[in-house]
Amino acid sequence: MSSIHEIELVEILNKFPEAVKFNEALLPAMGSESIFIAILGFEDRCLSIPEELAKHGNHNAQKAFYFTYTTNSADNTQNKDKLLNALSEISHEYQSVVCDTQDFPQNFRDIIKACQNAESRLKVIMDISTCSSMPLLLAIKILFEFDVDLHILYSEAKIYHPTYEEWQAEKNKHVKEEGFGIAKGVSRVFPSPEHPGDRKDNLPEKVFVFPTFKPERIIAILHDIDPSIALVPDKHAIWFVGKPHLKENEWRIDAIKEINKITEDMQQVLVSTFDYKDTIRGLNAQWDKWKSDYHITIAPLGSKLQAIGIALFWQMHQELSMVFAVPEQYNAKQYSEKCIERWYIPLGSTREIKHLLDCVGNIELREI
């Protein structure tokens, strides 16, 4: 006997991999069908995974790429020699890719196209540890235009600034001083050219906000979408407040609310900064609630793994828009220190992932 069944998101997410502690044995050896992507940043963890892979010396990737930023170039350069030494052990050929300019999406698309071959699926191993949300979301979107075998690596920082002691000592500066904290100013705000969304119905705006420890960029994004939202964000913004992975960092929940002036009467959702599936679940619940009455834009300034969840959710609902904001400069000494753990997410075939996500809401007959 058969019954009609609607496929639910939870069923699909159960088929997606968890983040597991990285072990060299878990990652397939990188050969001529593989590329490795690293990020040249100023944080200690920029080197953690590349150096670990280089230490084992059993990789011969077709090519290695390292993303570079136009901001903080002097700070980032301090890790360059060590990163290139590690990359030389992973592949005989490596090159830089500027990832925060307007031509990055097309440049990256051309790179992936050139690395494809007809005989096997390209394996893309990407270390996202120091990748900011804008290039990460753009890169994932482009990778989904191809059928690649996608493997995500992530180094979790041991110390995130501000620490609890720094927050308690200088709370007023973090809340009120624009030049204080993890980033300074806003250099530009722009709608993502790769995530334009669909505004055919001329609906009012609802913004899904992933805030960070500095409010300037979120305010700039809200103002860019609609100046009235920036002035009165309580009705048209939903705040996706990050719940830290480690219990000792949970004080940051209240801190980020205070910095961004998120009051109890404002719409908010608590989502993990670590579990990318939790981000998808949180987005989906709010999407189901508001999709008929609003055009929805995401302001994606949360964690790296939240960005992975956002990227996958957008594959389900491409009528969503995204708007990015780039700071004038990051405060290199007030970001993160060291690495406490390395993590691995073997996502697999992007074509298969997209197929699974497209199944949500489909009707099928099941035997009972």
Side-chain angles (χ1 to χ4, degrees):
M1 184 177 176
S2 299
S3 68
I4 295 175
H5 174 77
E6 182 178 342
I7 299 174
E8 298 181 359
L9 178 64
V10 64
E11 300 172 62
I12 299 303
L13 291 184
N14 285 340
K15 298 179 180 181
F16 282 23
E18 304 290 340
V20 296
K21 289 184 179 180
F22 176 68
N23 182 308
E24 175 73 12
L26 295 175
L27 184 69
M30 285 183 270
S32 60
E33 79 293 347
S34 306
I35 63 170
F36 178 70
I37 300 171
I39 318 296
L40 177 58
F42 50 72
E43 296 173 85
D44 300 336
R45 54 184 173 156
C46 156
L47 301 170
S48 178
I49 285 171
E51 290 187 336
E52 180 68 16
L53 293 173
K55 187 169 64 179
H56 292 272
N58 64 334
H59 301 292
N60 186 23
Q62 174 191 152
K63 205 165 186 178
F65 300 91
Y66 62 100
F67 289 179
T68 63
Y69 300 104
T70 57
T71 57
N72 294 81
S73 56
D75 296 315
N76 297 334
T77 300
Q78 66 187 358
N79 285 325
K80 185 174 181 179
D81 288 344
K82 289 182 179 179
L83 178 61
L84 296 188
N85 284 338
L87 294 182
S88 70
E89 296 294 326
I90 295 170
S91 176
H92 295 303
E93 188 177 354
Y94 51 86
Q95 74 175 67
S96 64
V97 182
V98 181
C99 67
D100 58 355
T101 55
Q102 291 182 346
D103 55 359
F104 167 68
Q106 189 56 50
N107 289 343
F108 188 62
R109 185 176 285 113
D110 291 341
I111 285 169
I112 299 303
K113 190 180 299 182
C115 291
Q116 296 275 315
N117 69 72
E119 296 178 3
S120 60
R121 181 186 294 130
L122 180 67
K123 188 183 300 175
V124 178
I125 297 94
M126 185 172 184
D127 175 12
I128 67 168
S129 305
T130 57
C131 193
S132 63
S133 57
M134 180 191 70
L136 180 52
L137 286 160
L138 292 172
I140 296 296
K141 189 269 178 182
I142 289 160
L143 289 172
F144 268 82
E145 296 175 8
F146 304 86
D147 183 20
V148 302
D149 184 13
L150 181 58
H151 299 254
I152 299 295
L153 299 173
Y154 172 69
S155 293
E156 184 177 13
K158 184 176 182 178
I159 299 170
Y160 290 96
H161 292 285
T163 63
Y164 180 72
E165 292 74 21
E166 289 167 343
W167 169 248
Q168 290 297 316
E170 301 180 299
K171 183 185 295 188
N172 218 37
K173 290 185 177 180
H174 281 285
V175 173
K176 294 182 179 179
E177 289 190 20
E178 287 192 9
F180 191 84
I182 62 173
K184 297 178 182 177
V186 182
S187 66
R188 60 192 177 109
V189 179
F190 60 99
S192 170
E194 300 292 331
H195 308 88
D198 182 357
R199 288 184 167 85
K200 291 179 182 176
D201 296 332
N202 201 28
L203 294 171
E205 295 286 344
K206 180 78 75 174
V207 188
F208 290 178
V209 181
F210 286 77
T212 183
F213 262 72
K214 293 299 295 181
E216 290 89 356
R217 283 188 289 157
I218 286 297
I219 292 170
I221 288 174
L222 294 177
H223 192 274
D224 184 78
I225 295 169
D226 185 337
S228 67
I229 297 177
L231 293 172
V232 189
D234 54 329
K235 292 184 179 179
H236 292 278
I238 298 176
W239 299 83
F240 286 74
V241 179
K243 180 181 179 181
H245 182 214
L246 301 177
K247 190 170 181 60
E248 58 262 36
N249 288 329
E250 287 188 358
W251 63 269
R252 296 171 75 89
I253 297 172
D254 289 334
I256 208 165
K257 287 183 181 181
E258 188 168 349
I259 287 170
N260 289 277
K261 299 180 181 178
I262 306 170
T263 59
E264 290 306 312
D265 59 330
M266 297 168 76
Q267 302 172 84
Q268 54 193 274
V269 183
L270 193 64
V271 288
S272 171
T273 59
F274 181 80
D275 182 0
Y276 74 98
K277 296 188 197 180
D278 192 48
T279 296
I280 298 173
R281 286 190 290 266
L283 284 168
N284 193 65
Q286 295 303 313
W287 168 259
D288 282 345
K289 187 175 181 180
W290 303 107
K291 63 184 178 184
S292 298
D293 300 320
Y294 292 89
H295 171 263
I296 294 170
T297 298
I298 299 179
L301 300 186
S303 72
K304 278 76 172 170
L305 292 173
Q306 284 178 338
I308 295 295
I310 293 169
L312 296 179
F313 186 74
W314 187 84
Q315 290 296 323
M316 296 171 59
H317 299 295
Q318 297 186 14
E319 55 270 54
L320 285 161
S321 302
M322 292 190 206
V323 177
F324 299 130
V326 179
E328 291 178 358
Q329 189 175 22
Y330 292 98
N331 288 334
K333 294 180 180 179
Q334 297 185 34
Y335 232 79
S336 76
E337 297 178 49
K338 304 178 183 178
C339 169
I340 194 173
E341 192 62 79
R342 304 180 190 92
W343 299 92
Y344 173 44
I345 307 175
L347 284 173
S349 164
T350 50
R351 181 175 295 169
E352 178 61 21
I353 297 167
K354 182 70 169 69
H355 170 72
L356 287 171
L357 292 170
D358 286 343
C359 287
V360 175
N362 286 356
I363 303 297
E364 64 178 9
L365 287 176
R366 289 190 177 179
E367 293 296 325
I368 58 173

